[in-house]
Amino acid sequence: MADKPKTPKSPANPSESQQSPTHLTNRQGHPITNNQSQRTVGSRGPATLENYQFLEKITHFDRERIPERVVHARGFVCYGELEATGKIGDEPASKYTRAKLFSQAGKKTPLAIRFSTVIGGRDSSEVARDPRGFAVKFYTEDGNWDLVGNNLAVFFIRDAIKFPDVIHSLKPDPVTFRQEPNRIFDFMSQTPESMHMLTHLFSPRGIPASYRHMEGFGVNTYKMVNAEGNTVLVKYHFHPRCGVASLTAEEAAKVQGQDLGSASKDLYEAIERGEYPQWDMYVQIMEDHDHPELDWDPLDDTKIWTEKDFPLRHVGVMTLNRNVEDHFNENEQIAMGTGVLVDGLDFSDDKMLVGRTFSYSDTQRHRVGTNYLQLPVN
Ligand code: HEM
């Protein structure tokens, strides 16, 4: 098994610089001899309230969870790196972007990735017929770049104001608290642009066999900017080197009958074995101007760009090689968003992106808290 590379950790995290104590302490580092008994006045009580250790333990427990994500609540994080080719297809990357992470052959950028399901809660099945999140946080020398994508190339809607409606149609009914087909039909039947993604979702690819065996797509249209300030439109793709594999509904029923967390387990164990999953990363490029020759809008995320006309151009290889040490800190509190871009990469005028960019940091200030950007993983 190869050495596990290091991804950045905050030097401000005191737990990394201190030796693990050999005795039990409270969170202030004070030794405690007993954390199993309340202090009482006499052997039968009453209990005292000046017992700091008791207060600390209970008050932390009372607050230990944060709200689960409104979507993509169940997910799994690991770390790795992107090794750039220095090129975009056959051309130097600098022709299209000044973003440093793509600039040189062999340049390695550390990253965290969070795979997820979309609709189920924090402990729900990982073999649901549901899109999968494919969200990458690149720790570049110019700051973080988040590419918050999915395993399906298109999305249900093209207007951000519909997002609460599409999600509510798929989430549990407010009365029965079950996913109700009528609610899904009600929304989708009145939203014809959802048919493309629905077709993928109900195709044989609708239930990925694991997080290692699926593609990733940025879905929305972004831009690249070169040193001269010239821009192109761009779509991002990831292809798994171990191939795409899916489950039938019958196979999925058997898997979830045994284990709701099968995809997290598969990924965690593969990395622990040293079997590091890899994806080839590609972009599609289009000139950044009006395209009257196309009978579809390149900024519409319910459409794909045909690979025949806009070929995939290789830009690098992503390898995942390290598991988290603390699920809560590194998974529950990781915060990704489409507004997190670096020099040389930009938004397009795709109107979904504006809605998404507002929504991610807004929910994270609520879900994780005002100081979420001070957490080492972010
Ligand atoms: C306007 C449409 C959209 C809105 C308003 C929206 C909003 C959100 C929100 C509020 C979250 C929870 C974030 C958190 O709690 O940290 C989220 C998560 C996520 N969204 Fe979206 N979303 C939209 C469209 C999309 C699309 C088109 C994709 C795929 C390209 C996508 C992929 C994801 C992923 C992968 C996550 C999970 C991120 C993680 O693992 O932490 N979303 N979205």
Side-chain angles (χ1 to χ4, degrees):
M1 179 164 137
D3 284 350
K4 292 188 182 179
K6 297 232 178 320
T7 41
K9 287 184 180 173
S10 165
N13 185 347
S15 62
E16 283 158 31
S17 58
Q18 286 173 358
Q19 296 285 324
S20 303
T22 51
H23 50 271
L24 194 61
T25 66
N26 64 16
R27 288 188 178 81
Q28 304 285 5
H30 304 146
I32 44 174
T33 51
N34 180 349
N35 80 341
Q36 296 293 302
S37 313
Q38 265 180 278
R39 185 179 299 163
T40 57
V41 182
S43 60
R44 298 185 59 233
T48 66
L49 245 201
E50 44 57 67
N51 184 344
Y52 179 82
Q53 165 56 16
F54 167 69
L55 297 181
E56 187 187 82
K57 187 171 173 182
I58 291 288
T59 53
H60 186 267
F61 173 74
D62 292 341
R63 295 164 174 79
E64 72 184 12
R65 304 215 180 122
I66 58 173
E68 70 175 30
R69 287 168 175 80
V70 287
V71 282
H72 297 261
R74 176 149 207 167
F76 204 69
V77 168
C78 60
Y79 299 97
E81 64 194 17
L82 178 78
E83 180 167 349
T85 59
K87 292 184 167 182
I88 292 189
D90 298 330
E91 300 173 291
S94 58
K95 178 173 175 191
Y96 297 106
T97 179
R98 58 183 190 240
K100 292 186 192 131
L101 81 162
F102 293 121
S103 60
Q104 295 156 20
K107 186 175 176 68
K108 292 183 178 169
T109 300
L111 59 90
I113 185 163
R114 185 171 183 271
F115 298 108
S116 50
T117 56
V118 180
I119 296 300
R122 193 145 49 186
D123 303 318
S124 58
S125 168
E126 288 188 317
V127 291
R129 186 174 297 280
D130 194 22
R132 298 293 187 271
F134 195 108
V136 193
K137 185 183 283 295
F138 297 92
Y139 300 104
T140 88
E141 65 206 88
D142 287 334
N144 294 348
W145 170 38
D146 293 353
L147 182 57
V148 193
N150 276 345
N151 73 319
L152 300 177
V154 290
F155 202 62
F156 293 115
I157 51 170
R158 57 168 81 102
D159 189 325
I161 201 170
K162 286 180 191 274
F163 190 72
D165 308 323
V166 65
I167 297 303
H168 289 158
S169 81
L170 293 159
K171 282 274 188 184
D173 175 277
V175 176
T176 64
F177 204 67
R178 292 168 49 81
Q179 196 179 53
E180 298 288 2
N182 285 350
R183 290 160 53 80
I184 303 174
F185 187 79
D186 185 34
F187 179 84
M188 302 295 175
S189 64
Q190 296 182 64
T191 314
E193 65 270 29
S194 67
M195 196 46 66
H196 192 173
M197 184 158 178
L198 277 177
T199 308
H200 284 289
L201 195 57
F202 285 89
S203 80
R205 284 202 183 185
I207 310 176
S210 81
Y211 289 142
R212 291 187 291 149
H213 293 91
M214 57 185 211
E215 293 174 315
F217 300 93
V219 179
N220 288 108
T221 300
Y222 293 86
K223 284 187 187 183
M224 284 182 162
V225 190
N226 69 12
E228 288 75 47
N230 299 322
T231 56
V232 286
L233 300 176
V234 59
K235 289 259 197 195
Y236 296 99
H237 298 244
F238 295 85
H239 287 189
R241 286 202 167 170
C242 62
V244 172
S246 309
L247 300 180
T248 63
E250 292 72 27
E251 287 165 341
K254 279 192 199 138
V255 171
Q256 70 187 9
Q258 297 289 322
D259 183 0
L260 296 178
S262 52
S264 302
K265 179 172 189 278
D266 173 83
L267 183 63
Y268 181 86
E269 290 182 352
I271 291 174
E272 288 301 301
R273 285 195 303 272
E275 211 176 292
Y276 299 147
Q278 291 188 305
W279 281 257
D280 285 293
M281 184 176 181
Y282 299 89
V283 295
Q284 286 176 292
I285 297 232
M286 194 186 295
E287 285 176 29
D288 184 14
H289 54 58
D290 288 342
H291 287 273
E293 78 285 6
L294 300 176
D295 62 359
W296 46 276
D297 177 2
L299 305 185
D300 176 349
D301 67 0
T302 67
K303 304 285 197 304
I304 55 158
W305 296 4
T306 51
E307 289 177 19
K308 178 169 67 68
D309 299 318
F310 303 96
L312 293 178
R313 303 170 193 226
H314 197 224
V315 295
V317 180
M318 177 173 76
T319 305
L320 306 183
N321 50 28
R322 183 163 67 84
N323 279 312
V324 297
E325 287 171 13
D326 184 311
H327 181 85
F328 184 79
N329 284 340
E330 297 160 67
N331 180 350
E332 202 60 8
Q333 299 197 102
I334 196 172
M336 310 267 197
T338 47
V340 185
L341 292 162
V342 290
D343 186 48
L345 306 177
D346 206 352
F347 304 103
S348 72
D349 294 335
D350 173 346
K351 63 187 169 185
M352 280 280 285
L353 272 178
V354 180
R356 294 184 70 192
T357 297
F358 175 78
S359 182
Y360 287 86
S361 49
D362 181 47
T363 196
Q364 285 149 4
R365 284 184 196 105
H366 158 70
R367 179 176 72 79
V368 189
T370 311
N371 299 323
Y372 75 99
L373 289 177
Q374 285 170 242
L375 295 167
V377 74
N378 294 324

